[in-house]
Amino acid sequence: MRWRTWISAGALLALLWSGTGTGAALAETARSETGRTGMAAEDKLLLEKGLQLYEIDQELARITVQEAGLQEKIAAAQRDAEAARTAADEARKHAARVIRAYNMGERDSLWGLLFSIRSFKDALVVMDYLQMILVRDRKALKGHTAAWTELKAKTAGLEEDAARLAETKSRYIRQRERMAALQQEIDAGLARSAEADKVQEEMRKLSQSWREEGIPLFRTYFRALAKALKELPDAVMNPGAQTTGGKPAGQFMLDGLNASFRITDGQLNAFLLEQNELFRHIRFRFEDGRIIASGTQDGTEVLLEGRYELAYKGGDPAKPYIRFRTGKLEYNGFQLPDTTIEAFEKEFDLGIYPQLVSSPFLKLQVTGVELETGALHILLKLAL
């Protein structure tokens, strides 16, 4: 048994470190050997951690850029707030003089001019003079209100930016701590390995493969998927919409004030393929409350897993939509960290918006979403 284990481990090392291992080859080796030797599972885990370490480092770079942008924005907001504060002070002083004049009766003497009018010409002059004073007084009071409102807005914006900066710094610290812990785990794993240098080289190759091949491929798929999903509600709700082969794109049902939007995973795959030939390499399936997309293109394996949920744009209850939340991303069998998922979610919107379907007769509002094995249901109601 011992010599068989050593032979198996040796074969694995030869495959892993032959110098020709791409991310796909590494993943295939790990899959074929895991369970037969403890070495393969540990090596695969090390490679995965190395990839996650690389991605967290990229997240730190993004946070650094975001922090610098926020600091510049805060500096500009501080200058604007200071200018608004100066303007508000001047407007307040002017308004105070006007109010004091009315309170002390200084304006009463002006009205007394009306009793000194001796001719129609005098009346016109006095009325013009009084109107000019009243306009200036109103302008001063309005100016004070406007300046104060602007100052409050600038101050509130500054506080929001400062809070965002604090959260960004906190996120940076958390990711740094996470990165340090992950690095310690990798160092410990490498210390146990008899071929630490070769393992490190394979980690470098995997990160390079992900950067040069994986990221562009995932972006291509996400971009195509986001574009197709924007067209999906119209295809389902338009009776004339057909997918390849003359089959319906989905099913739209109207029952009184309630409506529903239903599509099977087979219909979704047909629709996506009609939208873009790229989806010939990847298949979607609905199961257990999850949406799973997996496939292989040019030897690169991709996997996306997530779910749809009811959400609100900007937290506004009047703007519901169906949001996609990614739970897992895998590249050639290696799981990517949540930082990568968040970055893709920010860059690409995979939500579904049936309420945006242009129809002069139907105005819809999303009320819920249900996912069963093989089919996705979106619940709607007529917006009156």
Side-chain angles (χ1 to χ4, degrees):
M1 291 298 294
R2 180 173 297 177
W3 66 266
R4 287 179 184 173
T5 301
W6 280 108
I7 289 175
S8 181
L12 171 63
L13 291 174
L15 285 170
L16 278 174
W17 302 322
S18 61
T20 61
T22 63
L26 292 169
E28 180 59 34
T29 300
R31 280 192 297 273
S32 64
E33 293 296 327
T34 299
R36 286 196 288 164
T37 70
M39 180 67 73
E42 188 172 353
D43 284 345
K44 181 175 184 290
L45 186 58
L46 272 177
L47 292 175
E48 187 169 89
K49 286 181 178 180
L51 181 59
Q52 292 176 354
L53 186 69
Y54 171 82
E55 279 296 280
I56 292 174
D57 185 57
Q58 297 306 298
E59 173 68 3
L60 289 173
R62 288 190 291 268
I63 292 174
T64 300
V65 172
Q66 185 181 16
E67 182 178 349
L70 279 171
Q71 286 176 335
E72 290 179 7
K73 188 176 179 181
I74 286 173
Q78 286 174 332
R79 291 192 294 270
D80 290 345
E82 188 58 36
R85 187 173 290 106
T86 301
D89 286 342
E90 289 298 320
R92 178 181 56 77
K93 292 175 183 176
H94 195 176
R97 286 196 295 269
V98 171
I99 294 171
R100 184 167 57 249
Y102 279 102
N103 289 337
M104 297 181 68
E106 293 178 15
R107 292 296 186 262
D108 294 342
S109 61
L110 295 175
W111 292 106
L113 290 173
L114 293 174
F115 299 103
S116 65
I117 294 174
R118 295 290 181 267
S119 67
F120 181 70
K121 182 179 179 181
D122 289 344
L124 291 177
V125 171
V126 170
M127 291 303 295
D128 284 345
Y129 182 58
L130 289 174
Q131 186 177 14
M132 180 184 68
I133 291 174
L134 290 174
V135 167
R136 289 183 61 188
D137 287 350
R138 282 198 297 268
K139 185 177 179 181
L141 294 173
K142 286 182 178 178
H144 172 256
T145 302
W148 178 247
T149 301
E150 182 181 5
L151 176 59
K152 287 200 298 183
K154 296 289 186 184
T155 303
L158 183 59
E159 289 174 353
E160 289 176 5
D161 290 339
R164 260 196 302 271
L165 179 60
E167 170 57 28
T168 301
K169 288 183 175 181
S170 176
R171 185 156 55 94
Y172 182 88
I173 292 171
R174 290 196 302 271
Q175 294 299 344
R176 285 287 299 178
E177 292 173 347
R178 183 180 176 187
M179 187 176 181
L182 192 56
Q183 184 65 65
Q184 286 182 348
E185 292 177 12
I186 292 173
D187 290 343
L190 291 173
R192 293 192 297 269
S193 173
E195 301 284 350
D197 292 341
K198 291 182 178 179
V199 172
Q200 284 181 306
E201 177 61 17
E202 292 305 328
M203 289 168 64
R204 185 194 65 77
K205 286 181 180 179
L206 178 58
S207 295
Q208 181 180 357
S209 170
W210 164 246
R211 181 176 63 251
E212 297 176 358
E213 301 171 12
I215 293 177
L217 183 61
F218 269 78
R219 279 211 172 103
T220 299
Y221 271 114
F222 269 87
R223 189 177 296 111
L225 186 57
K227 182 179 179 182
L229 289 174
K230 282 182 173 57
E231 304 296 329
L232 179 62
D234 197 48
V236 173
M237 297 162 69
N238 179 359
Q242 300 288 318
T243 59
T244 304
K247 296 180 180 179
Q251 185 178 17
F252 175 68
M253 293 171 287
L254 188 60
D255 181 15
L257 296 179
N258 297 316
S260 64
F261 168 117
R262 182 181 186 274
I263 187 168
T264 66
D265 46 15
Q267 289 171 331
L268 177 62
N269 284 311
F271 169 77
L272 291 175
L273 183 58
E274 184 183 58
Q275 296 294 308
N276 195 318
E277 278 291 317
L278 180 70
F279 292 107
R280 187 173 299 280
H281 305 286
I282 190 168
R283 303 291 293 177
F284 287 76
R285 63 185 188 274
F286 303 146
E287 60 178 50
D288 245 0
R290 299 172 299 158
I291 299 174
I292 302 171
S294 59
T296 303
Q297 181 176 339
D298 299 328
T300 299
E301 296 181 17
V302 297
L303 182 140
L304 165 67
E305 182 181 307
R307 58 187 171 84
Y308 275 112
E309 64 183 18
L310 183 65
Y312 303 93
K313 277 287 183 183
D316 185 351
K319 297 179 180 179
Y321 74 105
I322 303 301
R323 175 174 60 190
F324 184 78
R325 297 307 301 266
T326 306
K328 182 191 291 186
L329 280 181
E330 286 187 3
Y331 168 65
N332 283 328
F334 296 98
Q335 188 168 332
L336 296 162
D338 56 343
T339 55
T340 307
I341 290 173
E342 290 170 7
F344 277 119
E345 283 188 341
K346 287 178 182 177
E347 188 174 354
F348 303 101
D349 182 4
L350 303 185
I352 299 178
Y353 301 83
Q355 72 273 26
L356 299 183
V357 172
S358 56
S359 169
F361 309 108
L362 291 176
K363 290 186 178 179
L364 300 168
Q365 188 174 39
V366 179
T367 58
V369 59
E370 297 173 355
L371 186 63
E372 63 183 33
T373 299
L376 171 69
H377 297 262
I378 295 177
L379 308 179
L380 307 149
K381 70 177 181 180
L382 291 179
L384 302 178

